[in-house]
Amino acid sequence: MIAAALLILPLVFTIFTLLLPANNSRNIALIGSLLSFALSAFAWVQFSSGNLAQLSLDVPWISSLGIHFNIGIDGISLILVLLTGLLYPFIVAATLQTDIKSPKAFFALMLAMQLGLMGVFIAKDAFLFYVFYELTLIPVYFICAIWGGEKSIPITLKFFIYTLAGSLFMLIAIIYLYFKTPGNHTFDIQSFYHLGLSATEQTWIFWAFFLAFAIKIPIFPFHTWQPDTYTVAPAAGSMLLAGIMLKMGIYGLIRLVLPIVPQGVAAWGNGALILCIIGIVYASLIAWRQQDLKRLLAYSSIAHVGLIAAGVFAVNISGLQGAMIQMFNHGVNVVAMFFMIDLIERRYGTRWMDELGGVAGQMKKFGVIFMIVLLGSVGLPLTNGFIGEFLLLMGIYQHNAWMAAFAGLTLILGAAYMFRLYRHVFLGEVKDHKIIAVDTLTWENFILIPLCALILIIGVYPAILLNITEPAVQQLLQIFNAPNVITSGL
């Protein structure tokens, strides 16, 4: 029932937000998100290490079509349930000093999106997975289009059309797999793992899923919606997109693509991996040229998730463990980064690098906090980014040394553009001496200090996350390496 409660809680608070007075909307959303975090943490405590789905609920939904409301949590799900539960209170709290028009609708959409995200990560039925996957698209579209900046509607519409088109390929693949199941057909994902698909079928299914997830992640050259969308979205929208939503694509690769079409991955995975690496280098070079801090983070995010996706296509224990932990770490780091960019814009009225300078001189505590998050983002040892990037690069190296060499450029290029950002924005002379910016306020510290603590704790003791995912990742690899062996359990 815990898995069901993870869906019921945001649904109930979405209704509360709509029914109760608008001036309470933010507080209701914050209470709901805190309760969801507590429930996610409780699921973690109740979770027994192993590869089987736990805390499950399986009831018929549309029996005539073999569709079940089948949800449960395994090690791969749990890490993303924890990420969603953890980040939501911070993202809601980040709007504390933002004047939001129609707060009822805004916070109700945020909570509805949480419902969709949780559903994607715990769905064990492919039809249910697709429904939740699409459900997340509607709230984030309205959040970015209505509360976004200049040209938000056409830019967000492009994002909507891109991701919807990609999802249609996934729907076709799911329906095809459904009709391949024997007897009374089913959408059960476990049943999809045991299908004896031919090499040709696996090729088509691989590319159908890949298109859907490559757009969502995004992987080069399917990334063109992302920088504009991140830039015009409100800060909370950027945090939701970068911190949690893009992880759905990587999760889809791990949950559906690797175990269902292993021969497709073996045949075409290198091509996908090369696209990921091109994206890493391309996005890093573009990030280096950016003056808009938010746009710089958008391209930085493309590089980071490109490395995570490359680790998935390496298909070994290091690459997959690296992908799992780095999804969590990237979520923490990028939410902190977007919040701090928003803080700079609120203090100085700009987020353009050439209009900023000397921030660390006026905001000493903020300068230190920004540096901690920056070091986590570039993967300095003893920060959270280090262990994730190390495992990812080791996994890619075990797959192909040359690919690892090019993928490793992300460390050099990432450090270059992030330290360039710090030098221009935080050091040197203040550009506008009329502005006397106050250091971080108490409510801002309540967001930033816990995120910084997480960066350091995970950096020092990554086993706290790796132990969750390892059994499920090993089971996944058994299925991938022996596709004809009947196994139970992710």
Side-chain angles (χ1 to χ4, degrees), residues 47 50-52 73-80 324 468-469 472:
F47 185 80
N51 48 36
L52 297 174
I73 300 174
D74 64 8
I76 295 172
S77 304
L78 181 58
I79 203 90
L80 292 164
M324 293 307 305
I468 295 174
T469 58

Side-chain angles (χ1 to χ4, degrees), residues 298-423:
Y299 280 105
S300 165
S301 186
I302 294 174
H304 282 290
V305 296
L307 182 63
I308 297 172
V312 173
F313 284 113
V315 201
N316 52 46
I317 187 74
S318 298
L320 287 169
Q321 281 285 75
M324 293 307 305
I325 190 172
Q326 196 62 0
M327 278 198 283
F328 190 94
N329 294 336
H330 177 262
V332 170
N333 295 346
V334 80
V335 163
M337 274 290 177
F338 273 116
F339 177 69
M340 291 190 293
I341 298 302
D342 187 55
L343 188 155
I344 290 172
E345 191 172 7
R346 279 187 275 113
R347 294 285 201 281
Y348 292 92
T350 182
R351 59 172 191 255
W352 287 84
M353 205 181 298
D354 56 1
E355 296 174 359
L356 292 163
V359 171
Q362 290 191 329
M363 303 168 67
K364 292 182 174 57
K365 188 165 53 181
F366 181 58
V368 173
I369 290 172
F370 196 100
M371 176 56 77
I372 292 172
V373 180
L374 184 153
L375 294 176
S377 298
V378 302
L380 189 82
L382 299 182
T383 64
N384 62 346
F386 173 74
I387 184 63
E389 292 189 347
F390 174 78
L391 287 171
L392 286 167
L393 290 174
M394 189 165 71
I396 299 169
Y397 178 82
Q398 290 167 349
H399 181 77
N400 184 297
W402 282 106
M403 288 183 179
F406 283 102
L409 290 174
T410 188
L411 301 180
I412 301 168
L413 296 172
Y417 62 71
M418 290 304 289
F419 281 110
R420 171 176 171 267
L421 179 160
Y422 196 87
R423 181 170 62 85

